[in-house]
Amino acid sequence: MAHPAGSVLIVVPTYDERDNLGPLLARIHDALPGADVLVVDDASPDGTGELADACAAADDRVHVLHRPGKEGLGAAYLDGFRFALRERYGVVVEMDADGSHAPEELPGMLDALAHTDVVLGSRYVPGGRVVNWPWHRAALSRGGNVYSRLALGVPMRDVTGGFRMFRREVLEALHLDSVASQGYCFQVDMAWRAVRAGFRVREVPITFTEREHGSSKMNGAIVAEALWRVTLWGLGYRLRRAGPPYGEPPAARPTADPADPAPGPAHR
């Protein structure tokens, strides 16, 4: 089924998020009534997938993609992106299932996308904030972002955040089949690819709120993978300055009217 250029698909990976899913879907559709949601469930043992199926049966704006097991955040998003491209959605959104990303901020992010190619919801630009995080999580997040910026030379202040929007043209150009990163370094990988390919990336402030139900999926293996991969990418980047590793910048990209205001810091 083909969708119009402005159509929105929100990709929500899930693993044991049964308590969070119903309220999240309701808030999303209150904020963006015309958006579709794709729940990508990794065979959650708590019944999240079955609840998602029931929600899809009751609302044709909800779709479900069942995966055979817990295979990582990056792989779940990639499957969701392929679904979005196959179904011809115009805008693709990444969003956590645990309520840490406020659906009420979706309309503002969508407005910002009118002037750029990728919108990153940022905790660390002026106006952004984090609520109810323990100090060690906040320190790990800020440290990871500083390290990624220095290692890769990216200008974004929140390159690890998982609340973001892409125009479909960006995902078509970024060679998704070559993305091997899992965990939270997937977010770094996708943002860096977009910058290297010449797309415009804009950060807008968001409020990130620690989950109320369930447990975080962050663990030592995820942190170690991110540190290892970002270090290798940074070293490789400095050894390959002759050209971008992910292909040439796209020949044509959507452009904003120069007279339009530019909300938030933009990066090229």
Side-chain angles (χ1 to χ4, degrees), residues 208-244:
F208 179 98
T209 304
E210 175 68 326
R211 66 163 63 236
E212 293 184 3
H213 304 288
S215 58
S216 171
K217 310 305 186 293
M218 178 70 74
N219 57 44
I222 289 172
V223 175
E225 186 213 12
L227 179 63
W228 172 67
R229 286 192 180 272
V230 169
T231 300
L232 290 182
W233 293 338
L235 291 173
Y237 171 65
R238 283 158 177 76
L239 293 173
R240 294 195 304 269
R241 286 186 178 273

XYZ file of all heavy atoms in Angstrom, residues 208-244:
295
model
N 13.336 14.024 28.507
C 13.449 12.571 28.625
C 13.117 12.198 30.064
O 13.736 12.704 31.004
C 14.872 12.133 28.274
C 15.107 10.651 28.380
C 15.055 9.839 27.259
C 15.405 10.060 29.609
C 15.276 8.475 27.350
C 15.620 8.698 29.707
C 15.562 7.904 28.574
N 12.141 11.304 30.240
C 11.691 10.927 31.578
C 11.940 9.438 31.811
O 11.538 8.605 30.991
C 10.188 11.225 31.750
O 9.955 12.604 31.457
C 9.740 10.918 33.174
N 12.576 9.118 32.887
C 12.868 7.713 33.197
C 11.570 6.903 33.274
O 10.537 7.377 33.756
C 13.630 7.622 34.526
C 13.886 6.212 35.035
C 14.873 5.417 34.184
O 14.913 5.597 32.955
O 15.592 4.580 34.751
N 11.627 5.676 32.783
C 10.449 4.801 32.753
C 9.858 4.628 34.144
O 10.575 4.625 35.156
C 10.815 3.442 32.155
C 11.773 2.655 32.996
C 11.835 1.174 32.639
N 12.300 0.883 31.299
C 11.603 0.166 30.431
N 10.410 -0.305 30.771
N 12.086 -0.106 29.239
N 8.527 4.403 34.175
C 7.829 4.107 35.421
C 7.583 2.613 35.589
O 7.466 2.121 36.714
C 6.488 4.845 35.463
C 6.633 6.358 35.548
C 5.302 7.056 35.684
O 4.265 6.345 35.771
O 5.272 8.293 35.700
N 7.457 1.872 34.477
C 7.150 0.441 34.536
C 8.218 -0.341 33.778
O 8.732 0.113 32.758
C 5.781 0.155 33.911
C 4.664 0.928 34.532
N 4.177 0.657 35.792
C 3.933 1.973 34.063
C 3.203 1.502 36.076
N 3.036 2.307 35.044
N 8.529 -1.536 34.276
C 9.503 -2.384 33.598
C 10.926 -1.988 33.951
O 11.179 -1.123 34.791
N 11.864 -2.632 33.280
C 13.277 -2.398 33.579
C 14.018 -1.980 32.321
O 13.657 -2.362 31.203
C 13.919 -3.669 34.162
O 13.785 -4.748 33.254
N 15.076 -1.197 32.526
C 15.885 -0.725 31.409
C 16.603 -1.888 30.748
O 16.983 -2.872 31.403
C 16.916 0.291 31.916
O 17.842 0.611 30.901
N 16.807 -1.775 29.427
C 17.529 -2.817 28.686
C 19.031 -2.522 28.620
O 19.789 -3.275 28.033
C 16.972 -2.941 27.263
C 15.443 -3.074 27.189
C 14.898 -4.221 28.006
C 13.405 -4.441 27.811
N 12.549 -3.372 28.321
N 19.466 -1.388 29.192
C 20.878 -1.028 29.193
C 21.667 -2.006 30.059
O 21.247 -2.361 31.165
C 21.054 0.395 29.728
C 22.506 0.857 29.829
S 23.258 1.123 28.230
C 22.476 2.659 27.752
N 22.821 -2.465 29.537
C 23.692 -3.327 30.324
C 25.144 -3.108 29.903
O 25.439 -2.337 28.983
C 23.292 -4.799 30.179
C 23.300 -5.261 28.730
O 24.221 -4.958 27.970
N 22.268 -6.007 28.336
N 26.063 -3.792 30.579
C 27.482 -3.593 30.306
C 27.878 -3.966 28.894
O 28.747 -3.328 28.295
N 27.249 -4.994 28.314
C 27.591 -5.408 26.958
C 27.241 -4.324 25.951
O 27.965 -4.095 24.975
C 26.870 -6.712 26.613
N 26.109 -3.638 26.166
C 25.699 -2.558 25.268
C 26.699 -1.417 25.332
O 27.106 -0.851 24.312
C 24.280 -2.082 25.641
C 23.248 -3.146 25.259
C 23.944 -0.759 24.968
C 21.852 -2.853 25.744
N 27.125 -1.062 26.546
C 28.103 0.020 26.710
C 29.429 -0.360 26.064
O 30.055 0.451 25.363
C 28.296 0.336 28.205
C 29.404 1.360 28.395
C 26.995 0.843 28.817
N 29.867 -1.595 26.278
C 31.140 -2.033 25.708
C 31.097 -2.025 24.185
O 32.061 -1.611 23.524
C 31.484 -3.430 26.226
N 29.972 -2.480 23.609
C 29.863 -2.474 22.151
C 29.934 -1.053 21.605
O 30.615 -0.779 20.617
C 28.533 -3.103 21.704
C 28.443 -3.241 20.186
C 27.038 -3.088 19.623
O 26.141 -2.657 20.347
O 26.858 -3.384 18.424
N 29.242 -0.125 22.276
C 29.238 1.267 21.810
C 30.645 1.846 21.868
O 31.106 2.499 20.914
C 28.277 2.087 22.658
N 31.357 1.638 22.972
C 32.701 2.175 23.115
C 33.639 1.604 22.058
O 34.405 2.333 21.407
C 33.236 1.861 24.522
C 34.655 2.335 24.822
C 34.752 3.845 24.746
C 35.090 1.838 26.208
N 33.560 0.299 21.850
C 34.432 -0.363 20.879
C 34.154 0.126 19.468
O 35.068 0.498 18.726
C 34.223 -1.872 20.990
C 34.914 -2.676 19.939
C 36.262 -2.833 19.764
C 34.274 -3.441 18.907
N 36.502 -3.650 18.684
C 35.312 -4.039 18.140
C 32.956 -3.694 18.570
C 35.041 -4.864 17.050
C 32.685 -4.513 17.495
C 33.722 -5.080 16.739
N 32.888 0.149 19.086
C 32.557 0.533 17.715
C 32.867 1.997 17.448
O 33.404 2.343 16.392
C 31.088 0.234 17.424
C 30.785 -1.242 17.235
C 29.397 -1.442 16.667
N 29.073 -2.843 16.481
C 29.352 -3.538 15.380
N 29.977 -2.953 14.380
N 29.019 -4.818 15.282
N 32.518 2.881 18.373
C 32.787 4.299 18.154
C 34.286 4.547 18.039
O 34.739 5.344 17.210
C 32.167 5.143 19.279
C 32.665 6.593 19.226
C 30.641 5.123 19.176
N 35.073 3.849 18.840
C 36.525 3.995 18.745
C 37.037 3.540 17.384
O 37.838 4.241 16.738
C 37.207 3.174 19.856
O 36.763 3.655 21.131
C 38.724 3.310 19.766
N 36.568 2.381 16.916
C 36.998 1.894 15.600
C 36.543 2.827 14.486
O 37.306 3.110 13.551
C 36.451 0.487 15.361
C 37.057 -0.639 16.197
C 36.429 -1.973 15.801
C 38.571 -0.707 16.015
N 35.308 3.323 14.574
C 34.814 4.246 13.545
C 35.657 5.513 13.517
O 35.998 6.027 12.452
C 33.360 4.611 13.812
C 32.399 3.490 13.657
C 32.567 2.336 12.938
C 31.105 3.394 14.261
N 31.454 1.536 13.059
C 30.544 2.155 13.849
C 30.366 4.222 15.099
C 29.280 1.737 14.259
C 29.105 3.815 15.507
C 28.574 2.582 15.089
N 35.977 6.034 14.699
C 36.768 7.259 14.765
C 38.151 7.073 14.170
O 38.635 7.924 13.408
N 38.797 5.957 14.487
C 40.119 5.687 13.924
C 40.035 5.511 12.411
O 40.863 6.036 11.656
C 40.713 4.438 14.577
C 41.097 4.567 16.056
C 41.500 3.203 16.613
C 42.243 5.569 16.224
N 39.025 4.757 11.963
C 38.864 4.544 10.530
C 38.584 5.835 9.792
O 39.089 6.060 8.685
N 37.792 6.712 10.400
C 37.466 7.996 9.769
C 38.720 8.821 9.539
O 38.903 9.423 8.480
C 36.474 8.739 10.661
C 36.226 10.161 10.253
C 35.619 10.466 9.049
C 36.583 11.211 11.104
C 35.374 11.782 8.677
C 36.348 12.519 10.750
C 35.748 12.802 9.530
O 35.518 14.102 9.183
N 39.604 8.827 10.514
C 40.815 9.622 10.376
C 41.781 9.027 9.365
O 42.616 9.732 8.800
C 41.472 9.793 11.739
C 40.763 10.831 12.591
C 41.002 10.696 14.079
N 40.334 11.780 14.797
C 39.024 11.843 15.023
N 38.249 10.881 14.603
N 38.497 12.868 15.667
N 41.679 7.719 9.124
C 42.539 7.078 8.129
C 41.948 7.126 6.723
O 42.624 6.793 5.756
C 42.774 5.613 8.527
C 43.590 5.395 9.803
C 43.597 3.914 10.172
C 45.015 5.910 9.625
N 40.673 7.539 6.619
C 40.009 7.527 5.315
C 39.430 8.887 4.986
O 38.317 9.005 4.499
C 38.864 6.499 5.302
C 39.308 5.063 5.421
C 38.152 4.127 5.038
N 36.968 4.388 5.837
C 36.696 3.768 6.983
N 37.521 2.871 7.462
N 35.594 4.052 7.649
N 40.152 9.937 5.229
C 39.635 11.279 4.991
C 39.415 11.566 3.518
O 38.784 12.553 3.165
C 40.583 12.326 5.573
C 40.518 12.408 7.082
C 41.368 13.557 7.594
N 41.277 13.671 9.035
C 40.352 14.356 9.683
N 39.398 14.962 9.002
N 40.350 14.430 10.988
N 39.919 10.703 2.639
C 39.772 10.959 1.202
C 38.330 10.907 0.736
O 37.978 11.510 -0.274
C 40.608 9.961 0.403
N 37.440 10.195 1.443
C 36.059 10.105 0.969
C 35.169 9.464 2.000
O 35.645 8.745 2.878
N 33.868 9.717 1.926
C 32.925 9.149 2.889
C 32.769 7.647 2.695
O 32.730 7.170 1.569
C 31.613 9.877 2.595
C 31.749 10.316 1.178
C 33.207 10.576 0.949
